[in-house]
Amino acid sequence: GFRVFWAWKSRRVGRPALIATVVALIEQMARENPTWSRRRIAAELAKLGHDVNKDTVAKYMPVRPGRPPRHRASQTWATFVRNHLVGTLAIDFLTVPTVTFGVLYVFFVLSLERRRILHVNVTAHPHAAWAAQQLVEALGPDAPTAARLIRDRDGIREALDHVIVLGERHLLRLVRGYIAYYNEDRPHMSLAGDAPIARSVEPPGRGRVVALSRVGGLHHRYARAA
């Protein structure tokens, strides 16, 4: 019942698919008017009683032969972010359902330089003043210097997708436990396999490998024990 309820509540809501006659009109207009843009075709369709978004029009416009390909920007967004990791903070606001069908909100702040989560908090009633206070708390004396702020979807969902939350205190305990694992234990490809708080390499001579439970057994850290 829980799964069905949230599948219904999270259903996608969007424009219905275009009927074949409208698609044919888009193709015809694009073919017969090679200089028309998607906006021009959308305006013409509106005059025919078809309210079609310009981006939807572009989806159905045929590729024009001989048209030179668009040049990509000199720097993609991903490249820009990689080149400016130092001084960039990322934030995210995500929703989490509870066992009683309520909704809680998780807000966290992450430093991209080492993919380190600086701050996290949970609330049932988010508002602008509350979010601003979280940034103030995140930017304490030990926090990296911040020059840029972006939004980022990070891996905290890999913990929340596997639990049923009982309430606000339960969720806060879960995310704090996950962040301790994320910062201290979890290897990141972008950090050459290291954790945000660097882990030392433990050579075989240090002893046998043991599994250390993290986040209630959802994750583990592996270390050598003498």
Side-chain angles (χ1 to χ4, degrees):
F2 183 91
R3 182 168 60 249
V4 170
F5 175 80
W6 281 105
W8 170 80
K9 192 165 185 177
S10 304
R11 67 194 187 281
R12 291 181 177 272
V13 178
R15 293 173 176 266
L18 293 183
I19 59 176
T21 53
V22 176
V23 173
L25 269 176
I26 293 173
E27 294 173 346
Q28 178 184 347
M29 290 178 180
R31 184 175 60 252
E32 295 176 347
N33 306 277
T35 62
W36 280 16
S37 66
R38 56 184 179 174
R39 292 180 177 84
R40 177 69 180 86
I41 293 177
E44 192 67 23
L45 288 171
K47 292 297 182 183
L48 298 173
H50 301 297
D51 183 17
V52 183
N53 183 273
K54 58 182 175 56
D55 294 328
T56 303
V57 169
K59 178 181 176 182
Y60 293 100
M61 289 176 67
V63 178
R64 296 169 185 168
R67 188 174 188 176
R70 293 182 178 179
H71 295 287
R72 295 189 64 182
S74 58
Q75 188 180 79
T76 64
W77 172 248
T79 302
F80 173 84
V81 171
R82 282 196 299 270
N83 291 340
H84 297 83
L85 292 178
V86 178
T88 299
L89 297 184
I91 62 172
D92 198 6
F93 225 144
L94 57 106
T95 58
V96 180
T98 69
V99 70
T100 57
F101 303 105
V103 177
L104 295 174
Y105 299 82
V106 181
F107 181 87
F108 67 88
V109 183
L110 176 141
S111 170
L112 293 188
E113 182 177 359
R114 290 285 305 176
R115 303 299 301 176
R116 182 178 177 181
I117 298 178
L118 304 177
H119 180 75
V120 67
N121 209 344
V122 174
T123 183
H125 306 287
H127 48 76
W130 183 87
Q133 179 61 31
Q134 305 316 304
L135 284 173
V136 171
E137 294 178 13
L139 298 176
D142 298 329
T145 302
R148 289 164 296 277
L149 184 68
I150 64 173
R151 188 177 179 196
D152 179 70
R153 273 183 71 126
D154 209 85
I156 193 169
R157 290 171 177 80
E158 71 183 23
L160 300 179
D161 286 346
H162 298 278
V163 295
I164 295 178
V165 174
L166 304 180
E168 191 169 334
R169 289 185 179 180
H170 181 218
L171 177 58
L172 185 58
R173 186 167 66 251
L174 284 171
V175 295
R176 284 179 174 171
Y178 177 80
I179 285 170
Y181 157 77
Y182 181 98
N183 283 339
E184 300 171 16
D185 303 325
R186 184 179 184 271
H188 293 257
M189 293 181 62
S190 60
L191 299 177
D194 202 359
I197 298 175
R199 291 174 56 180
S200 59
V201 176
E202 302 179 0
R206 287 195 179 182
R208 63 188 179 88
V209 175
V210 296
L212 307 175
S213 177
R214 296 291 188 267
V215 199
L218 184 62
H219 297 283
H220 293 80
R221 172 171 175 162
Y222 295 88
R224 292 191 178 275

